[in-house]
Every structure is written in structure tokens, then in C-alpha cells.
């Protein structure tokens, strides 16, 4: 068995969860926060048989899109002045960040 950990954008999560549920996958949804943007994203835990991993990833690819996001970062203008000036940074946030890990043991009690 495998555990798929998928970090997706909040906007994509509701539809993705619906489709995965319709396809009989069990899901746990966690509200998470990206370390860089410090804004909300969604982490899904999906436990599946090994043979189903590719199908789940295919569904995630289909329903999660990459988007540009703008964030503000403080920058030290000069070392001598020591002044922090905020500047905007545009980043491309991926459709999904996916980890597939081995599950040593799975039990429901
Ligand atoms: P965040 O950490 O908020 O990152 C959002 C986007 O900002 C990233 O998109 C990337 O394009 C950019 N970014 C992240 N760190 C950066 C840095 N040090 N310098 C410049 N740009 C940076 P994605 O790579 O698609 O990641 C989306 C979200 O997936 C991340 O949100 C984070 O929550 C998660 N994530 C990505 N890689 C991860 C990893 N290796 N381990 C754990 N979580 C990860």
C-alpha cells in the first residue's frame, strides 16, 4: 500500500476531492500553509493500493492547475542603511506537489 500526500491549491481542492470520492478513493483533507507564501493550501492524504497510484496522480493532474501568485517580501536595501523595503515577487505555484510513500502497515480499528 502507498500513501499519496498531495499539496494542492485551495481553489482546486473541492472539485478534486469530489472526483476522487466519486472514484471511491478515501481521502483526508488537511488545511495547510505554504512556508514560502505563508498562505493557505490543502494537503490531501490518500491511501491506495500500489496499482492505483498512477490513476490518482492522473486525476490530480487533470484537476489542479498551475497559477501565478504575487507575494511581498521585505528586502534589505543596503547593508549600511539597514532599511527594509517591501518588494513584490511573482511565483509560479505548481498544480500540485505530490509525495508517494510506502505504508508499512495499515489498520482500521
Ligand atoms: P509555498 O511554500 O508557499 O510555495 C509557493 C510557491 O513559491 C512554490 O510553488 C514555488 O514556486 C515558490 N517558492 C517556494 N519556495 C521558494 C523559494 N525559497 N524561493 C523562491 N520561490 C519559492 P510550488 O513549488 O508549486 O509549491 C507549492 C506548495 O507546495 C508550497 O507552498 C509548499 O506548501 C508545498 N511544497 C512544495 N515543495 C515542497 C517540499 N519539498 N516539501 C514540502 N512541501 C512542499
Amino acid at each position: 500500500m502507498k500513501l499519496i500526500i498531495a499539496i494542492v491549491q485551495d481553489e482546486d481542492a473541492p472539485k478534486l476531492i469530489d472526483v476522487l470520492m466519486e472514484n471511491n478513493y478515501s481521502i483526508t483533507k488537511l488545511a495547510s500553509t505554504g512556508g514560502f507564501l505563508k498562505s493557505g493550501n490543502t494537503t490531501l492524504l490518500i491511501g491506495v493500493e500500489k496499482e492505483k497510484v498512477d490513476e490518482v496522480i492522473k486525476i490530480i493532474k487533470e484537476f489542479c492547475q498551475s497559477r501565478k501568485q504575487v507575494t511581498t517580501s521585505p528586502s534589505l536595501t543596503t547593508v549600511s542603511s539597514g532599511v527594509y523595503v517591501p518588494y513584490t515577487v511573482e511565483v509560479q505555484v505548481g498544480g500540485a506537489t505530490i509525495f508517494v510513500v510506502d505504508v508499512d502497515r495499515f489498520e482500521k480499528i
Side-chain angles (χ1 to χ4, degrees):
M1 186 173 205
K2 301 281 185 182
L3 177 65
I4 301 173
I5 303 168
I7 303 160
V8 304
Q9 294 180 51
D10 286 345
E11 296 91 321
D12 297 322
K15 182 69 187 163
L16 175 63
I17 291 168
D18 284 351
V19 173
L20 289 170
M21 296 292 295
E22 280 161 20
N23 284 274
N24 297 316
Y25 292 108
S26 293
I27 298 159
T28 296
K29 172 182 179 282
L30 306 173
S32 44
T33 303
F36 186 71
L37 292 177
K38 296 183 175 52
S39 63
N41 54 26
T42 298
T43 299
L44 300 179
L45 304 181
I46 312 159
V48 292
E49 292 309 320
K50 195 177 158 195
E51 307 75 56
K52 295 286 185 184
V53 168
D54 288 343
E55 185 182 317
V56 171
I57 291 176
K58 188 166 164 254
I59 294 172
I60 294 172
K61 273 186 186 156
E62 200 176 326
F63 289 92
C64 294
Q65 48 176 291
S66 182
R67 295 181 184 86
K68 281 189 179 144
Q69 263 185 262
V70 176
T71 185
T72 307
S73 283
S75 161
L76 192 60
T77 48
T78 60
V79 177
S80 56
S81 72
V83 176
Y84 282 94
V85 177
Y87 71 104
T88 55
V89 188
E90 189 178 78
V91 290
Q92 188 79 28
V93 184
T97 299
I98 300 170
F99 303 88
V100 180
V101 296
D102 288 329
V103 174
D104 286 341
R105 185 164 160 172
F106 172 66
E107 281 189 37
K108 284 190 177 180
I109 297 164

